[in-house]
Amino acid sequence: MIVAACPGQGSQTPGFLAPWLELDGVSEQLASYSEAAEVDLIAHGTESDADTIRDTRIAQPLIVAASLIAAQQIEKKAGRRPDGVAGHSVGELAAVVAARGLPAADAMRLVGIRGRAMADAAAQTPTGMSAVLGGDADDVLALLSEIGLTPANYNVAGQIVAAGELPALAQLSERAPRGVRVMPLQVAGAFHTSHMTPAVETLRSAVSEVAASDPDITLWSNRDGAVVTDGQDALDRIVTQVSSPVRWDLCMESFTEAGITGFIEVAPAGALVGMAKRGLRGVPTVAVKTPEDIDAAVALLNGEAA
C-alpha cells in the first residue's frame, strides 16, 4: 500500500511555489485557486517573505494549493493515485480532494475561510506553538498541564507540539526536562486548542454549504487515525479538528496496520517524511518538494523505486 500525505502549516518557505509555476497549466490553476481562497497565491508563493507567509490567512491556502498541484502532477505522470491518503492539520483538506471527497475549488474556498477564522481567533490572545523533542511523554504532558499548555499535536514518539499563551511557552523553554529540546514553530497561534473555538462555528457554517462525496480511496483522519468512508463525516472531522489535537501518531499506526509499503509527502514536503523515517522504519519515502521530485514519487507509486 502506497500512502500519500499532505503537510500542515509551518511547512511553507519563501518562493516555494516558483518552480511549480514553470509547469504547463499551473499558473492558471493557481489563479483559480487564488480566487476561491481570496488570497494571491502566485504573489505570496513566489515573492513574499517568511514573515508574510507565516500569516495564517496566507499560509493555509498556500500549503493546500501546493499539495493539490503536486498530487495532480504526480497522478498525471504516474497514471494512478496512491492507495491511501491523509493530511496533517490543514492538509486534511487537500487529502479529502485527493480522495475525491471534495472538488478542489470547494477545498480552496474552505481553506480561505478556515485561515481567516483561525487568524481572527489567534488575534484575541497572543499565542503560539512549540515542538517538544525527546523526553518521557508522561513527564512532558505533566509539565504542560502544570504551566497551562495544551498538547496540540502528537506527531511521533518523542515529539509533542505544545500550544498556548506566549508566557507559558517561554516558561516551557526555561523548564524543559533534561534531554528535552523545545523548538518554537513558525505559526501564528495556538492551533488545535480551545483558543480556536471561535473558528469552529465559522468553518462549520461554511462546510454546511458544501456537498461532499464519499472517498474512493482509503482516507485516514487526524482525530483518531481511523479510516473515514463517509464524505460528510470527513468534513465534520475537519471542522472539529480546528480546536482539538492532531493525532498523527495514530495515523502512522494505522498506516502500519494497513501494510504500508511506501510513503509520499506532497509539496511543501519534508516534515512528514522526517516523522515517517522515525515512525515507519524501513518504509521507502519520497518528499516531493519541487517538480524535480515527481519522478521519484512516480517510481515509488509504480513499484519501480530502487
Side-chain angles (χ1 to χ4, degrees):
M1 168 175 272
I2 306 296
V3 174
C6 305
Q9 195 163 342
S11 55
Q12 72 279 4
T13 55
F16 78 102
L17 282 183
W20 295 96
L21 282 161
E22 297 176 11
L23 302 181
D24 288 344
V26 170
S27 178
E28 291 78 10
Q29 277 184 293
L30 282 173
S32 174
Y33 292 169
S34 295
E35 183 177 357
E38 299 182 26
V39 173
D40 189 339
L41 299 171
I42 294 176
H44 289 306
T46 59
E47 301 171 5
S48 295
D49 61 19
D51 284 341
T52 300
I53 63 173
R54 182 173 175 265
D55 185 332
T56 304
R57 297 173 180 83
I58 296 169
Q60 292 191 10
L62 273 179
I63 291 163
V64 171
S67 294
L68 294 178
I69 287 168
Q72 291 161 8
Q73 292 294 326
I74 294 167
E75 179 183 350
K76 179 180 177 181
K77 191 157 190 176
R80 58 158 294 192
R81 288 183 290 150
D83 304 297
V85 65
H88 188 284
S89 186
V90 73
E92 287 199 293
L93 279 167
V96 170
V97 175
R100 303 293 193 262
L102 200 63
D106 285 343
M108 290 307 304
R109 187 177 71 84
L110 290 177
V111 75
I113 292 168
R114 184 185 192 270
R116 291 188 292 275
M118 291 177 72
D120 289 345
Q124 295 183 18
T125 306
T127 57
M129 304 176 80
S130 293
V132 184
L133 310 174
D136 177 81
D138 290 339
D139 290 345
V140 170
L141 292 173
L143 176 58
L144 298 187
S145 177
E146 180 184 341
I147 61 180
L149 293 174
T150 300
N153 298 355
Y154 295 79
N155 284 330
V156 67
Q159 185 183 130
I160 292 172
V161 174
E165 296 186 20
L166 298 183
L169 288 171
Q171 190 176 0
L172 172 63
S173 294
E174 295 167 0
R175 295 183 55 186
R178 182 185 297 273
V180 170
R181 184 161 61 99
V182 177
M183 184 174 68
L185 300 183
Q186 293 301 305
V187 296
F191 306 137
H192 304 292
T193 72
S194 60
H195 290 281
M196 292 295 109
T197 300
V200 172
E201 289 307 316
T202 300
L203 185 57
R204 179 174 286 122
S205 176
V207 162
S208 70
E209 300 174 358
V210 171
S213 301
D214 295 341
D216 66 355
I217 59 174
T218 304
L219 173 68
W220 288 277
S221 168
N222 277 182
R223 187 168 77 188
D224 50 12
V227 172
V228 183
T229 58
D230 178 89
Q232 189 57 53
D233 183 31
L235 291 185
D236 290 343
R237 286 167 173 260
I238 287 172
V239 170
T240 58
Q241 197 74 59
V242 167
S243 62
S244 60
V246 171
R247 295 304 305 261
W248 191 250
D249 57 336
L250 299 181
C251 287
M252 290 203 294
E253 288 180 14
S254 295
F255 301 160
T256 300
E257 292 169 3
I260 185 172
T261 57
F263 182 92
I264 298 168
E265 182 183 359
V266 297
L272 300 184
V273 158
M275 295 179 204
K277 288 178 177 178
R278 292 183 58 191
L280 302 170
R281 293 190 184 276
V283 174
T285 63
V286 174
V288 181
K289 298 180 180 181
T290 73
E292 293 181 356
D293 301 313
I294 290 175
D295 285 346
V298 170
L300 185 57
L301 264 177
N302 289 332
E304 301 164 357

